Amino acid sequence: MFLDFMSEVEGLLRDALEGCGFKAEDGVNNLGLEISPHADLASSVAFRLAPVQKISPALIARDIHQAMPQEYKYVDRVELAGPYLNFFMNRIFLNTVLDQALADDRWTGRMSQRVIVEHTSANPDGPLHVGHIRNSVIGDTLVRILRRAGCTVDAQYYVNDMGRQEAMVVVGCDHFQLDGSKADHAIAKVYIAANKAMELDPEIRKEADQVIQRYEAGDPETVAKIQSAVRYAVSGIEETLHRMNIRHDSYRWESEFVRNGDVTEMVKDLEKTGLTEWEDGAFQLDLSTFGFEKKIVLRRTDGTSLYITRDLAYHRWKAANSDQAVDILGADHKLVSGQLCTALRLLGIREPEVVIFEFVSLPTGSMSTRKGKFISADELLDEVEKQAFEEVRLRRPEESEAFHREVARQVATGAVRYDVVKVSADKATTFDWKQALDFEKLSAPFIQYAHARACSILRKGEAAPSFQADQLTGENEVALIKKIAQFDLVIDQAARELKPHHLATYARELAETFNLFYRYSPVLDAAEELKAARMALVRAARNALRSTLETLGIPALETM
RNA sequence: GGGCGCGUGGCCUAGUCAGGAUAAGGCGGCAGCCUCCUAAGCUGUAGAUCGGGGGUUCGAAUCCCCCCGCGCCCGCCA
């Protein structure tokens, strides 16, 4: 698809540049290729050559244009536009795109790495809130994008069972009763209650310390208590993730790395670097030569390990069991993940690629599970589903309530995911109910709707045994084929840059382009030959929309 | 105080890494389109000195420097 066209253009340009005698050191490494309103691909390479050659860019472009090879596969023509070189696709390319989209709606790229993507990994002390799901949605979308790009992906949830907050959950369970609400919400209630109680009674803190020590020592009763609390909380979290079409392939518990000796080994190996020391009874790592001011405590005075110690062991394990590790982390982890990467580098261990996303806050300030100040993902999904139910009931009154419920459920999943993934990860956001409940153009239902429209046409018109792709010459038809072609380019870019929001932008553009075709190019009423060709185009567009939606984890509804 | 990130029409955002041909969308505003394949759609219109200042360049939203504002972090928490 587009990548094939692009590599042909690159080849042509390099041949022509070589023919003109330009070399890489003249600045021709950057061909300045971009999709532009003036061409399918435009090159501004002449500008880069001008200062070296001391000739005007327009003259250089003219020379390159004249040196251009004349044998093309997917390129129709190369036009000279002042200093720019404009490349256009030919009919063969458009027809090839159509054929590929019709035949192979499960296109996958050529990447082949084994990748471990760690995402969500929320502490099992309560339900996911609207901040956590930014992690989950970015993570799961990246998992899907990497798979689409050809990678073998293991999506992992790192379960923090050894932290202080989990000890507080156990203390909470000892002092308060879990009520009948959804597992993760019930856990949150005792956790919040325990934290409140601690403010009045310092003994609670000591209880938590003891739980940590006993758990690290492997005390059977404590192990049983923590594991059951963790499993209970995670079961609730999983339920929420499933509502958003998110599943993990494996769960790694922090305690694994303590029990199997990896943590001890990690501490020993760090000791060999000569950068560790005992200070105030704790074992510490000094990374000040790498710009980290404060020392990192690897073992507490009481001998127990800390989050970073266990995380180092986990990352060594990840490096050994994959070709690439990707971590999705909130902005509050920037410093610690920098420290972690530096420590790994010291030991010669491959570092993970860290995707940082900035915070989601409420209009009233930042969220906190401990303080019970958050909007849960379940609450959000419920609200969005309720709103979607009303919408679909009004639009399709002839359908059953079961239909309305099912469509609302799928729309809610999509709407929540799209709302999160459409924004670049490095933008801090404030949660906004109005925006979350808006189902217009910049939302999942917009894209799902385009897909449903395509499906509707396919249901009503019968597919012809053959068609003439050359019939598809209208502006909207050609634009649609070109937009379908870009799928591989977008997947490739999003996978390499680990930026899922590119795919969200593409999804909107694809739906928009389909809607224009839909509006101006009637299919079912067209003359026989044209109808056959347009039916094929609709099927190709349906496949492209379905692939895009699936990769975004948004249900591709056939009717709504 | 230091580090990292962000600042684009009234509001939300894409574009910034790899500088290029009129700054692209959505929401909200105004004006239109259902005897026509689902109007969760489509069309038109108004609205931006791309936080401010300096610099590099033929050319800067994009690169460099300074400043301002906002967010996150700087725990023997995770």
Side-chain angles (χ1 to χ4, degrees), chain A residues 516-535:
Chain A
L516 282 181
F517 163 80
Y518 181 92
R519 167 72 180 77
Y520 293 106
S521 311
V523 178
L524 300 179
D525 289 341
E528 198 175 335
E529 285 202 347
L530 187 59
K531 179 181 172 184
R534 283 182 177 170
M535 281 296 290

Side-chain angles (χ1 to χ4, degrees), chain A residues 49-114:
Chain A
L49 259 15
V52 190
Q53 300 296 318
K54 309 237 190 297
I55 313 174
S56 82
L59 288 176
I60 291 177
R62 197 196 58 190
D63 289 349
I64 298 171
H65 186 242
Q66 281 171 359
M68 200 60 69
Q70 295 302 310
E71 291 286 311
Y72 303 144
K73 188 178 179 196
Y74 292 143
V75 170
D76 179 63
R77 62 190 192 282
V78 187
E79 282 179 4
L80 184 64
Y84 296 95
L85 291 158
N86 289 337
F87 297 82
F88 296 87
M89 297 163 172
N90 66 15
R91 193 69 231 177
I92 294 169
F93 178 74
L94 297 180
N95 294 353
T96 305
V97 168
L98 198 61
D99 282 345
Q100 284 181 1
L102 286 170
D104 181 21
D105 57 311
R106 309 264 165 201
W107 176 90
T108 49
R110 296 201 192 109
M111 291 171 88
S112 59
Q113 299 97 301
R114 289 173 311 144

